[in-house]
Amino acid sequence: MAISSACFFFFLCSLFLSHGVLELEASHHVDQNLQVSSTTPSKYQPYRTSYHFQPPKNWINDPNGPMVYRGIYHLMYQYNPKGAVWGHIVWAHSTSTDLVNWTPHDPAIYPSQPSDINGCWSGSTTIMPWGTPVILYTGINPQNQQVQNLAMPKNLSDPYLIEWVKLPNNPLMAPSSLNQINASSFRDPTTAWLGPDGTWRVLIGSKTDRRGLAILYRSKDFITWIKSQQPLHSAKDTGMWECPDFFPVLINSKLGVDTSTLGPDVKHVLKVSLDDTKYEYYTIGTYNPDKDIYVPDHGSVESDLGLRYDYGKFYASKTFFDSLKNRRILWGWLNESSIPADDIKKGWAGVQAIPRTIWLDKSGKQLVQWPIAEIEKLRGQQVHLPQQVLKGGLSLEVSGVTAAQADVVISFKVSDLGKAEVLDPSWTNPQALCSKKSASVKGSLGPFGLLVLASKGLQEYTAVFYRIFKGQNKYVVLMCSDQSRSSLNNNNDKTSYGAFLDVDPVHEELSLRSLIDHSIVESFGGGGKAVIAARVYPTLAIDGKANLHVFNNGTENVKITSMSAWSMKKAQIS
Ligand code: DQQ
């Protein structure tokens, strides 16, 4: 152990007792006129969620510093206390005993010292080996430079960790002419990890020119941080790396491990959020703690055309190790598809995804995610469809479920794959392919899947579906979430999203689970091998007027092998 707990606290206490302006370059659109919304939010709120996390009003973005402490889960997140657009950012704070129902508290971290007076941006919690949580976060100083600060709980016997105190000698890491760090591209510290040499390491997202960087700092005492000559990893042409996340995963196990775990049965994951495109990507690879470098596995694609946790609207995500249940949990921000003027009218913007358990697939080539099991306790009335063949061109309506607030699980089996359409070798981008071949474009094996948030006359619906193609030497399964008909309001972003799914339709069923929550459709394909979250704003398919269908718009029959849908109860969130 580098430092003992007593020593660490003595050091911190003694620090507590002693004691040129950049244009603010934010990663979010800043509109000074809109930053404090003047309109009164509408009373009519058909799009607020029932079981996805959101505060009562205002703008939210990145999840920050998630952790479990003394049996209580903590979610902090970027929040504008003054309006429904980005600005005036603080760390809002809620706690939970089950990751489903939440109690709000006062903001944990808000501007109060020179090193964060212009904003408290994203960061992470590290649990010290003796159990104390410590936050590292990005502060915006009076010169609008991005610097890294430390905060720790005021009262460790309070499991809710209501009050946080900042180190008076913040910042601990800052850009300077010596370290050549770009002061407007230096943010979002990861959870730190402790190396076998007893030294802490942490990553900060950055860039030089168009090269994305995970800058590495090391510290013996968590206070004095020295920048390493080399970043842990970097990749050309990726632009600014926001919210990096770096963690170990076990080979051949679904269990999560502490962020400092190393060993022969461990691989590492590096995820970055790309400021330029607002998509994320991750690679799986090997971490060498002696050289402090990370090398992605051969064949990894270093761009958002590579592996993604979520192929839809999902950004600035962060994982934490849940030591209560030995799992790693992923949180992500489901950003908006509505325009700022509509956000101001409704009085809020942004929601958090359902927390997902995340682990390494048995292939070792990708991660798998699944909604935390706890969410199932919100399942109420269940509807079940018997096994049946759904003929080409037909659809069937599922009644008896609250279709605007539901958890739907369905599996399909296709027996005659001979008729699969040939995959054109130029169709390499699944998102582009889903736009080209929307749900209304007839195929042979697909499109088949779900029409969710569908209006009575099908003027509006969001289609989540599969198509099966014949590739060069195997069948290729495409999963799409098609928002092109999701709303009659044309202000909304209706991009269709897609992913190729690593399942073998010859031997495996094609499963699909959609969590529907008024303005959210969060879909898990192939048991969580591909996930697509969508934000939709139907104008007709609202509350009791929303319907659910299973459809097959291909020429070939598909078999529904199982189907259950549950009305979801409301969680206590705000
Ligand atoms: N959001 C924060 C930044 C981060 C960005 C500011 C990602 O710290 O880079 O609200 O969404």
Side-chain angles (χ1 to χ4, degrees):
M1 188 78 29
I3 43 172
S4 74
S5 87
C7 196
F8 181 77
F9 278 105
F10 179 75
F11 187 50
L12 278 181
C13 292
S14 58
L15 283 168
F16 273 66
L17 292 172
S18 68
H19 233 301
V21 182
L22 281 173
E23 182 85 351
L24 183 60
E25 198 173 300
S27 61
H28 304 274
H29 177 71
V30 187
D31 188 324
Q32 304 294 351
N33 299 323
L34 291 178
Q35 274 201 319
V36 181
S37 12
S38 48
T39 49
T40 316
S42 158
K43 287 215 164 62
Y44 177 60
Q45 291 284 354
Y47 307 116
R48 283 191 62 79
T49 62
S50 282
Y51 60 98
H52 284 74
F53 183 91
Q54 64 173 168
K57 59 180 184 177
N58 295 343
W59 165 278
I60 73 169
N61 55 296
D62 321 353
N64 289 152
M67 66 170 137
V68 60
Y69 178 68
R70 296 198 177 187
I72 303 289
Y73 292 102
H74 293 253
L75 174 65
M76 294 176 260
Y77 55 96
Q78 298 276 282
Y79 177 67
N80 179 357
K82 298 190 178 174
V85 294
W86 184 87
H88 311 283
I89 291 294
V90 303
W91 281 41
H93 183 196
S94 287
T95 55
S96 170
T97 52
D98 59 5
L99 290 163
V100 175
N101 300 291
W102 293 89
T103 305
H105 304 293
D106 286 344
I109 300 181
Y110 46 87
S112 67
Q113 55 174 204
S115 60
D116 66 11
I117 203 66
N118 283 334
C120 296
W121 289 13
S122 287
S124 309
T125 306
T126 303
I127 309 281
M128 294 291 121
W130 51 91
T132 305
V134 178
I135 286 174
L136 288 172
Y137 70 99
T138 299
I140 310 298
N141 73 11
Q143 290 76 40
N144 283 331
Q145 294 177 314
Q146 298 171 9
V147 300
Q148 316 313 324
N149 299 322
L150 185 148
M152 53 185 302
K154 187 167 181 188
N155 175 7
L156 286 172
S157 59
D158 169 18
Y160 301 102
L161 301 173
I162 299 296
E163 285 186 88
W164 289 78
V165 283
K166 299 172 188 172
L167 216 59
N169 60 329
N170 278 334
L172 305 184
M173 297 165 239
S176 75
S177 52
L178 289 180
N179 61 27
Q180 296 189 324
I181 292 172
N182 178 343
S184 49
S185 304
F186 181 52
R187 54 183 182 268
D188 310 336
T190 60
T191 294
W193 70 98
L194 194 56
D197 55 0
T199 301
W200 288 99
R201 279 102 166 141
V202 73
L203 302 178
I204 318 288
S206 188
K207 66 171 176 183
T208 41
D209 302 320
R210 293 267 314 127
R211 177 173 279 277
L213 300 178
I215 296 179
L216 178 76
Y217 274 81
R218 293 194 196 87
S219 175
K220 286 276 178 209
D221 59 6
F222 224 86
I223 306 285
T224 305
W225 291 90
I226 313 280
K227 181 175 167 285
S228 162
Q229 286 293 323
Q230 297 298 322
L232 181 91
H233 186 60
S234 70
K236 63 177 182 179
D237 292 332
T238 47
M240 172 65 194
W241 284 4
E242 299 190 306
C243 301
D245 197 18
F246 185 61
F247 56 90
V249 282
L250 289 178
I251 297 169
N252 283 325
S253 172
K254 291 185 174 182
L255 295 181
V257 285
D258 178 81
T259 309
S260 298
T261 305
L262 296 170
D265 53 349
V266 156
K267 296 286 292 183
H268 273 78
V269 175
L270 177 65
K271 181 279 306 184
V272 295
S273 307
L274 301 183
D275 192 18
D276 290 0
T277 64
K278 290 284 178 269
Y279 294 126
E280 308 190 316
Y281 79 89
Y282 70 85
T283 54
I284 297 164
T286 305
Y287 167 54
N288 179 331
D290 300 325
K291 295 190 178 146
D292 262 333
I293 52 165
Y294 164 77
V295 181
D297 286 350
H298 183 68
S300 297
V301 178
E302 295 250 40
S303 80
D304 55 20
L305 293 174
L307 291 169
R308 285 163 52 180
Y309 292 153
D310 192 303
Y311 294 82
K313 284 213 180 275
F314 186 92
Y315 195 68
S317 65
K318 190 172 294 299
T319 62
F320 76 100
F321 172 57
D322 175 5
S323 52
L324 289 183
K325 296 199 170 169
N326 288 324
R327 57 187 171 174
R328 185 160 284 271
I329 291 181
L330 169 70
W331 277 101
W333 165 41
L334 304 184
N335 37 352
E336 279 303 336
S337 63
S338 49
I339 58 170
D342 286 348
D343 295 339
I344 289 171
K345 268 188 230 151
K346 68 185 196 265
W348 58 272
V351 290
Q352 302 292 346
I354 295 298
R356 305 170 182 173
T357 309
I358 185 164
W359 67 92
L360 183 65
D361 183 49
K362 54 182 184 317
S363 69
K365 294 202 163 119
Q366 66 159 101
L367 299 172
V368 187
Q369 303 154 69
W370 200 243
I372 47 150
E374 290 89 329
I375 206 72
E376 292 171 24
K377 71 181 181 191
L378 293 177
R379 286 174 171 176
Q381 164 102 6
Q382 180 182 3
V383 173
H384 169 78
L385 286 187
Q387 272 205 10
Q388 59 195 287
V389 170
L390 187 59
K391 288 203 168 138
L394 291 188
S395 75
L396 55 100
E397 188 173 340
V398 181
S399 52
V401 66
T402 55
Q405 194 175 309
D407 182 355
V408 183
V409 182
I410 188 163
S411 283
F412 298 97
K413 184 85 187 105
V414 177
S415 41
D416 184 7
L417 287 153
K419 299 260 173 55
E421 192 181 341
V422 173
L423 187 78
D424 186 306
S426 69
W427 295 344
T428 52
N429 180 328
Q431 178 165 320
L433 190 51
C434 288
S435 299
K436 182 184 167 77
K437 291 180 173 286
S438 67
S440 54
V441 176
K442 263 198 177 304
S444 40
L445 291 177
F448 57 84
L450 301 171
L451 296 185
V452 309
L453 294 172
S455 64
K456 192 151 182 271
L458 292 183
Q459 301 94 325
E460 289 181 333
Y461 57 80
T462 295
V464 190
F465 62 85
Y466 290 121
R467 284 177 189 271
I468 304 175
F469 295 96
K470 202 180 289 169
Q472 298 250 292
N473 39 32
K474 60 170 188 166
Y475 291 102
V476 174
V477 178
L478 177 72
M479 173 181 172
C480 299
S481 183
D482 171 7
Q483 283 71 241
S484 58
R485 303 283 292 271
S486 61
S487 173
L488 297 179
N489 178 351
N490 286 327
N491 286 335
N492 298 315
D493 172 7
K494 294 183 190 171
T495 307
S496 286
Y497 295 111
F500 290 121
L501 190 67
D502 184 23
V503 294
D504 170 12
V506 178
H507 300 105
E508 294 173 71
E509 295 190 351
L510 285 178
S511 74
L512 177 64
R513 177 174 181 191
S514 285
L515 297 172
I516 304 152
D517 195 0
H518 300 274
S519 59
I520 300 174
V521 182
E522 208 179 343
S523 302
F524 296 77
K529 284 185 169 177
V531 186
I532 306 180
R535 299 298 319 284
V536 293
Y537 286 91
T539 60
L540 306 171
I542 283 173
D543 291 327
K545 292 193 181 131
N547 301 288
L548 173 69
H549 301 254
V550 185
F551 80 103
N552 178 8
N553 199 20
T555 51
E556 302 308 303
N557 297 348
V558 294
K559 186 170 179 187
I560 302 171
T561 52
S562 64
M563 196 277 177
S564 285
W566 291 265
S567 295
M568 289 294 269
K569 292 177 234 160
K570 199 169 163 54
Q572 284 195 335
I573 292 178
S574 46

